[in-house]
Amino acid sequence: MRRIAVFASGNGTNAQAIIDQAKSGVLECEVVLVVSDKPNAFALTRAKNAGIDTFSFKPSDFKNKESYESELVQKLKEKNVQLIALAGYMRLIGPTLLQAFEGRIVNIHPSLLPQFPGLDAIGQAMNAGVRETGVTIHLVDSGMDTGPIIAQEKVLVDQDDTIETLTTKIQAVEHRLYPATLREWAESVELEGVMSK
Ligand code: GAR
């Protein structure tokens, strides 16, 4: 069973969906750690309620990204984490973490990438007046919401949609698509040798 860490900066509804599907056995992975760059993130409360270890840090307490990512890598190794799922983790991954987990970090983004990367993707789609947007799950590289796409699903934008109604529709897709995609991806990732790095 693959050991996963979930990273979240906020509410953590996607983290919850992953935790629930892992607990029920549909997603054949164990969520061994929930990480947040916001010590007050509700995602951490969700993890504690599920009996999952957490690790949080304040980036401003560190001199740079490399120093907090080094600590993070140490913690991930201590917990024998094999794969990382970013679920609303609103920070770029730097070279320290990327090199330690090369090809083993995925992200979810609420748009049909490469459209609308970055912050407020749903607001960007509304402002652009598109008729369809969606959800993308992709491998993480050093860019912002770039990296090879693993799964994508469209969501139609209705004329009377508001940010709230569109967000609800997109999140419903996210909560189904992320655990389902993780299930297949986790099985397929080559792990040989990586844990001894
Ligand atoms: C999700 O919609 C996720 O796709 C988005 O943040 C939200 C987190 O919600 N991620 C990004 O925008 C990444 N660039 P959650 O905390 O309820 O899971």
Side-chain angles (χ1 to χ4, degrees):
M1 188 120 78
R2 300 281 151 106
R3 295 170 66 83
I4 291 198
V6 179
F7 284 33
S9 300
N11 186 352
T13 63
N14 279 284
Q16 187 75 60
I18 294 167
I19 289 168
D20 291 346
Q21 297 275 301
K23 280 219 186 282
S24 75
V26 176
L27 168 60
E28 288 163 15
C29 289
E30 189 183 354
V31 180
V32 293
L33 191 68
V34 172
V35 171
S36 187
D37 58 330
K38 302 259 196 254
N40 294 324
F42 189 61
L44 294 170
T45 304
R46 294 177 185 276
K48 284 172 195 151
N49 289 342
I52 295 168
D53 282 352
T54 62
F55 179 74
S56 66
F57 61 96
K58 267 207 220 149
S60 58
D61 288 345
F62 293 82
K63 70 172 190 288
N64 54 32
K65 192 184 285 269
E66 187 189 341
S67 60
Y68 70 72
E69 285 197 344
S70 297
E71 200 165 311
L72 205 44
V73 167
Q74 200 183 323
K75 182 73 193 175
L76 293 164
K77 290 197 167 165
E78 248 169 55
K79 298 287 295 177
N80 290 320
V81 168
Q82 296 169 311
L83 305 172
I84 297 173
L86 307 183
Y89 181 71
M90 304 308 268
R91 234 163 240 290
L92 278 180
I93 303 298
T96 307
L97 186 51
L98 214 46
Q99 276 159 28
F101 284 84
E102 207 182 337
R104 295 186 289 136
I105 310 177
V106 281
N107 180 43
I108 187 160
H109 185 76
S111 77
L112 294 176
L113 290 171
Q115 274 192 309
F116 314 128
L119 291 178
D120 191 23
I122 301 174
Q124 290 185 55
M126 287 289 284
N127 290 338
V130 292
R131 305 292 299 277
E132 60 180 36
T133 180
V135 174
T136 303
I137 294 159
H138 64 94
L139 272 180
V140 172
D141 63 12
S142 59
M144 187 169 54
D145 301 318
T146 53
I149 290 172
I150 303 173
Q152 231 169 13
E153 191 170 314
K154 284 181 190 164
V155 172
L156 296 181
V157 185
D158 295 322
Q159 243 154 22
D160 53 0
D161 264 330
T162 60
I163 280 272
E164 288 73 28
T165 59
L166 186 56
T167 300
T168 302
K169 288 198 285 190
I170 286 183
Q171 290 222 324
V173 171
E174 290 192 327
H175 299 160
R176 172 173 45 75
L177 190 64
Y178 208 5
T181 304
L182 280 174
R183 181 184 179 173
E184 283 193 17
W185 175 73
E187 286 291 307
S188 71
V189 182
E190 186 58 66
L191 290 177
E192 209 140 309
V194 293
M195 297 317 291
S196 55
K197 259 191 198 171

